[in-house]
Amino acid sequence: MPLSGTDRFTRTTVFTPRLHALLRDHRGEDVFRLDADTMGVAGPELTDRILAARPATEHERPTFKPLHGRSISRTEASGVMRAIGRDVRAALRAPVPGGVDLTGVWPHVGHVYLRDLILGADPYRLRILMDRTLELTPKLTWTVIAAGAALPGRPRPGAPVTAIAGLTADAANYSDRRYAMGLYRRAAAPVCFTVSTLVASAYWLGAPFDDDTPNEHILYEAMRLLPPSWNILRNASPEYPALDARIGAGDDVLLLPLLSHRDPALWDDPDTFRPERWATLDPDGHAGYLPFGHASERCWGRHMVMPLAEMLLDVLRADGVTVDARQTTAKVPLAGLLGVDKVRLVRRARRVRQA
């Protein structure tokens, strides 16, 4: 059975056994062996040296690793991120729809809302690629992509679709359409997945929030306790044994913000949700804090995730939304994107003034 930890709001966050074992056995350690050919690294100084030693290879980049055997150049990846960035900025400029109901089970509710907000102009064959169930198996994802690429009636150049969908309209043949649709999923889905998961985690960890607590402090603290990118993989490379003799020539390295974000040597009261700490801390300079990767190679999605998450928090906080008091436990599954699953958000009951 997975073990758990209880926060100050008497909500219990239950980590899957593997994650719990990492926190229980290795928090505070710089380097440790995970298995026969993988070393775990959580010490901030060694983490910095490893990530600065060389750029990530194409197979180590989470979003832009080879797609269906086809390499994605950094120039192409940059163009894709610019496209989805334009779509996010357009969505943020639009007025927030009135009467929107964001209560329900998160992160699903938030994901659907963001999908429709950012990509609502796109045809169904593209929007279906945002479905979270496609995360179950790559085979299912590619079956849906292959079917969509083969169907008639696809978007044409100049069609009134999002910028990221326009990349599929420019595809000249079936193979290129399938590739472009894969890029659509790779670039757009993580934005909605990450933001909705981050907001769900923030609410689970800290709601109800003090009125004077800035959204960015809430999000920085949520990413500290439940970093969406909780590990960073680097494949075996000759640079790493030269940095630390405990790393063998054939060892892959798994860097673990999950651990450094809760290291008691780096944080006061490390297991407690305290957004006020960020009034005096620098999220870009605090040792061991890597919510968007290392300074040498920051996540390109950072400037989409934070504004979208702050916008969602604005809407939820203005609507008096909080965690359902009847829910006392939430699970953190073992997945590439870390966060709580199935958090029920409800509106707070309004107090009736006495005459």
Side-chain angles (χ1 to χ4, degrees):
M1 293 290 292
L3 300 178
S4 62
T6 304
D7 66 16
R8 58 179 173 165
F9 297 100
T10 68
R11 298 179 191 137
T12 302
T13 304
V14 182
F15 290 89
T16 196
R18 179 66 186 271
L19 295 174
H20 176 79
L22 282 171
L23 288 165
R24 180 194 62 210
D25 299 337
H26 299 297
R27 181 159 51 166
E29 294 185 47
D30 285 349
V31 186
F32 48 90
R33 184 159 293 281
L34 284 169
D35 55 41
D37 58 2
T38 306
M39 294 296 292
V41 173
E45 293 183 5
L46 183 56
T47 294
D48 283 344
R49 294 201 302 270
I50 287 173
L51 291 175
R54 64 165 175 79
T57 68
E58 65 173 358
H59 294 281
E60 295 166 342
R61 295 175 349 198
T63 301
F64 294 110
K65 63 181 62 175
L67 180 59
H68 227 61
R70 182 169 165 179
S71 292
I72 304 170
S73 70
R74 288 186 177 270
T75 299
E76 183 177 19
S78 177
V80 170
M81 294 305 292
R82 285 197 300 271
I84 187 61
R86 289 197 296 274
D87 296 330
V88 168
R89 289 192 295 274
L92 288 169
R93 286 194 299 269
V96 176
V100 61
D101 183 4
L102 293 178
T103 60
V105 179
W106 279 66
H108 176 73
V109 168
H111 173 75
V112 171
Y113 175 75
L114 290 172
R115 178 201 66 192
D116 294 343
L117 179 73
I118 302 168
L119 307 166
D122 293 345
Y124 179 73
R125 77 179 68 205
L126 293 176
R127 286 186 293 110
I128 195 175
L129 299 177
M130 304 295 290
D131 196 305
R132 295 182 72 95
T133 60
L134 296 186
E135 291 188 299
L136 296 175
T137 67
K139 184 177 181 180
L140 178 60
T141 301
W142 278 106
T143 298
V144 174
I145 289 173
L151 288 172
R154 58 189 174 273
R156 299 295 182 180
V161 295
T162 62
I164 190 70
L167 301 180
T168 69
D170 293 334
N173 53 51
Y174 170 76
S175 178
D176 287 348
R177 284 194 300 275
R178 188 177 64 167
Y179 175 76
M181 289 176 69
L183 282 178
Y184 181 100
R185 162 128 181 126
R186 285 271 194 94
V191 173
C192 298
F193 290 163
T194 301
V195 172
S196 57
T197 299
L198 173 56
V199 172
S201 294
Y203 258 80
W204 176 254
L205 292 166
F209 307 112
D210 293 338
D211 290 342
D212 59 352
T213 303
N215 285 336
E216 63 177 355
H217 293 178
I218 292 170
L219 295 171
Y220 290 146
E221 186 70 347
M223 288 188 289
R224 185 184 70 81
L225 289 171
L226 291 173
S229 297
W230 63 275
N231 71 82
I232 303 169
L233 175 66
R234 287 294 181 264
N235 294 319
S237 189
E239 293 89 349
Y240 304 147
L243 295 175
D244 193 293
R246 290 168 289 185
I247 302 174
D251 284 333
D252 294 336
V253 175
L254 194 68
L255 304 143
L256 290 160
L258 174 69
L259 301 184
S260 64
H261 284 197
R262 290 175 180 253
D263 188 336
L266 303 174
W267 309 92
D268 294 331
D269 204 3
D271 292 323
T272 301
F273 184 84
R274 286 177 46 192
E276 63 273 12
R277 75 175 80 232
W278 294 101
T280 57
L281 297 180
D282 177 9
D284 291 325
H286 194 286
Y289 188 62
L290 300 169
F292 295 106
H294 188 255
S296 64
E297 202 164 10
R298 293 280 190 220
C299 171
W300 288 350
R302 175 183 189 179
H303 299 297
M304 291 179 271
V305 168
M306 288 297 289
L308 284 170
E310 289 189 48
M311 178 272 293
L312 272 182
L313 281 177
D314 278 338
V315 174
L316 291 166
R317 295 176 77 178
D319 202 26
V321 172
T322 192
V323 177
D324 188 337
R326 294 169 295 180
Q327 182 176 1
T328 58
T329 301
K331 295 181 180 180
V332 179
L334 182 62
L337 180 66
L338 191 74
V340 288
D341 190 28
K342 298 179 180 177
V343 175
R344 295 190 303 274
L345 297 188
V346 298
R347 288 188 184 87
R348 291 199 298 270
R350 299 185 184 277
R351 294 182 180 178
V352 178
R353 292 186 178 181
Q354 299 294 325

